[in-house]
Amino acid sequence: MTIANRTKTIEEIRADFPILSRLVHGKPLVYLDNAATTQKPKQVIDAISDYYLNYNSNIHRGVHKLSQEATDEYEKSRTTVKNFINAHKYQEIIFTRGTTESINLVANSFVKPNLSEGDEVLISNMEHHSNIVPWQLVCEEKGAKLRVIPINDTGEIIFEEFEKLLTEKVKILSIAHVSNSIGTINPVKAMIEKAHAKGIPVLVDAAQSIQHIGIDVQDLQCDFLAFSGHKIYAPTGIGVLFAKEQHLKKMPPYQGGGDMISTVSFEKTTYNELPYKFEAGTTNIEGAIALGKAIEYFNSIGIGFISRHESELLEYGHSVLSEIKGLRFIGTAEQKASVISFLLDGIHPHDIGTMLDVDGVAVRTGQHCAEPLMKRFGIPATTRASFSFYNTKEEINVLAESIRKVIKMFS
Ligand code: C6P
């Protein structure tokens, strides 16, 4: 079996994830729904227990020992995130509930105050609803327009069309780094360069890239980057917004409440310094701490191994599934993350998903919160298998076998 890195084999990595050894309908679980959420290693689960068993308390508020320990761990995690994406300063890292909240924060605090009638917000045809609806809401309120970069039949951005849409009317470009539905890796660095040449700020939705691609925000030069903890082996309900300090300084708070203030009177409130100005109320303390542990775990496996192994799985998955008669891939971009979306002739994806589940195989079926993308391909839904570094070629064989059974059953 493949050696994962110098210290861990695939078996040892899988043993870190207790859930991977459970049975589903009497069969070993084959978890291929990693784009929806990843499983958690025991190092992350233990960090959550440790918090509640040993130092549960509120942060930034208490002089007592427990509060200081919780504050230290929470802030340590912020530094871990900062180093992970190579941000300049910890002030640029804001803990949110996830990608969705991060995008809503930027839409409401950065874009909306400066948006006027006739202005435009630019997104692409492959966005998740979380990177469509927040923009629609602010555009509707301000009489601005949502413009959409078209994609070709393989699921890639049409770059010349993108360049044409970059006009002085555009107030922000907000773009997925990786498509959740079809896995396309967008050329975000080149897009950011083009946008910046016209003075347009850029938000990168990294919900589906943070767990597959090493991200360096100083190299990308993005203005904003949003991601969710649960896609990178941390719990749900915690996420990150990276924003350049120059923007955060000018942005009004997104929500009001405790911790985001400096002084409060009925006449006037002054706000806390960055990043606390954007973290109103008691935050997801254990989630933030666990996110730090998840990143430490991720780093211990190493992005080198992760991208090599996941590319191998992607290639293997494509080659094994392409041998199945009646199977059609949706999304065949040259640059792809480990996500495979497909259709089977005459069989609805929901039926496929239900039948695969009987064999213990977990995939996602439906529109993947990307209805406009499905419309672009003229299809109602797909079946999506998405791979993590803990998946194996043997599991892909189980998927292929199970798909063959589905076809046989329906023929
Ligand atoms: N995609 C999927 O199965 P939240 O829900 O805030 O953690 O993430 C939203 C989100 C935003 N952008 C992209 C590209 C995403 O993939 C997601 C979440 C999951 O594809 C759940 S719908």
Side-chain angles (χ1 to χ4, degrees):
M1 184 65 86
T2 335
I3 300 297
N5 59 16
R6 272 195 303 266
T7 52
K8 276 189 181 174
T9 62
I10 279 285
E11 289 87 349
E12 285 164 341
I13 289 176
R14 288 179 68 82
D16 286 337
F17 293 80
I19 205 170
L20 295 181
S21 56
R22 73 160 279 183
L23 300 179
V24 170
H25 305 302
K27 309 263 175 61
L29 168 66
V30 174
Y31 187 76
L32 303 179
D33 196 15
N34 296 287
T37 198
T38 52
Q39 299 301 344
K40 318 306 169 200
K42 59 180 186 289
Q43 290 81 346
V44 168
I45 299 166
D46 289 348
I48 300 167
S49 304
D50 184 39
Y51 169 74
Y52 282 114
L53 289 171
N54 295 308
Y55 61 101
N56 169 43
S57 59
N58 215 322
I59 52 166
H60 301 146
R61 289 159 170 87
V63 289
H64 60 80
K65 179 79 177 144
L66 297 192
S67 177
Q68 281 172 9
E69 284 182 10
T71 303
D72 286 351
E73 285 300 313
Y74 184 86
E75 291 305 328
K76 202 170 106 193
S77 181
R78 196 190 305 277
T79 304
T80 303
V81 173
K82 168 198 151 295
N83 293 338
F84 185 55
I85 60 171
N86 195 29
H88 253 299
K89 297 179 167 185
Y90 77 87
Q91 286 91 339
E92 296 176 319
I93 306 297
I94 295 157
F95 286 124
T96 63
R97 283 194 295 126
T99 309
T100 303
E101 189 175 49
S102 298
I103 296 173
N104 275 279
L105 194 165
V106 177
N108 283 283
S109 284
F110 179 73
V111 175
K112 191 163 106 180
N114 303 310
L115 204 62
S116 311
E117 205 171 328
D119 284 344
E120 294 178 358
V121 169
L122 188 57
I123 59 171
S124 86
N125 199 166
M126 69 177 87
E127 300 308 319
H128 185 279
H129 296 165
S130 291
N131 198 24
I132 301 174
V133 185
W135 304 116
Q136 264 170 342
L137 289 169
V138 294
C139 284
E140 273 165 20
E141 197 179 321
K142 294 294 194 134
K145 263 203 191 118
L146 189 66
R147 302 300 299 266
V148 180
I149 309 163
I151 60 171
N152 63 21
D153 290 341
T154 65
E156 291 164 333
I157 295 267
I158 305 175
F159 209 84
E160 311 81 71
E161 297 298 323
F162 156 64
E163 288 186 270
K164 281 187 215 154
L165 285 163
L166 276 181
T167 67
E168 73 287 352
K169 289 184 190 162
V170 177
K171 293 296 169 257
I172 193 162
L173 163 68
S174 190
I175 182 86
H177 195 175
V178 168
S179 155
N180 70 316
S181 314
I182 53 175
T184 307
I185 301 175
N186 284 319
V188 285
K189 193 170 174 189
M191 295 177 84
I192 291 165
E193 273 167 20
K194 293 283 176 196
H196 281 180
K198 303 245 167 112
I200 299 166
V202 183
L203 182 152
V204 174
D205 173 352
Q208 297 292 347
S209 58
I210 194 78
Q211 68 279 47
H212 300 301
I213 299 170
I215 289 182
D216 178 335
V217 291
Q218 292 191 56
D219 177 53
L220 278 182
Q221 274 304 311
C222 54
D223 298 271
F224 303 96
L225 184 106
F227 68 89
S228 303
H230 70 99
K231 312 264 194 209
I232 182 162
Y233 311 98
T236 52
I238 185 73
V240 169
L241 172 68
F242 155 82
K244 283 185 178 166
E245 192 184 24
Q246 70 201 65
H247 298 315
L248 289 175
K249 276 185 171 165
K250 291 188 205 141
M251 288 159 60
Y254 174 50
Q255 293 180 324
D259 215 23
M260 52 73 72
I261 51 84
S262 174
T263 61
V264 178
S265 73
F266 289 122
E267 290 71 40
K268 172 127 188 89
T269 291
T270 56
Y271 306 123
N272 203 343
E273 59 203 29
L274 294 175
Y276 313 109
K277 181 172 117 180
F278 292 99
E279 292 181 4
T282 299
T283 52
N284 182 352
I285 302 166
E286 75 279 21
I289 293 169
L291 173 59
K293 300 293 174 204
I295 291 173
E296 280 171 21
Y297 180 82
F298 187 90
N299 284 337
S300 78
I301 303 297
I303 191 67
F305 167 74
I306 290 169
S307 48
R308 257 194 328 278
H309 183 67
E310 290 178 350
S311 302
E312 269 179 37
L313 292 177
L314 179 68
E315 201 179 310
Y316 186 73
H318 270 138
S319 88
V320 168
L321 298 188
S322 64
E323 284 167 15
I324 299 177
K325 223 173 138 240
L327 185 148
R328 173 157 75 95
F329 295 115
I330 301 295
T332 48
E334 221 155 87
Q335 298 296 321
K336 273 188 72 171
S338 51
V339 173
I340 298 182
S341 247
F342 62 90
L343 301 175
L344 293 182
D345 275 351
I347 312 176
H348 195 279
H350 288 301
D351 294 326
I352 300 168
T354 308
M355 293 188 65
L356 295 186
D357 179 57
V358 174
D359 282 340
V361 180
V363 292
R364 185 170 173 189
T365 60
Q367 299 174 335
H368 315 295
C369 300
E371 208 176 326
L373 180 67
M374 298 296 125
K375 210 168 176 187
R376 161 65 182 81
F377 283 106
I379 54 176
T382 76
T383 302
R384 180 187 73 182
S386 49
F387 312 125
S388 153
F389 58 75
Y390 48 58
N391 289 125
T392 63
K393 291 181 179 169
E394 290 75 13
E395 289 182 305
I396 294 177
N397 293 339
V398 175
L399 167 71
E401 218 26 64
S402 192
I403 293 173
R404 286 202 163 87
K405 270 163 70 179
V406 175
I407 295 173
K408 213 165 158 193
M409 185 87 97
F410 274 82
S411 62

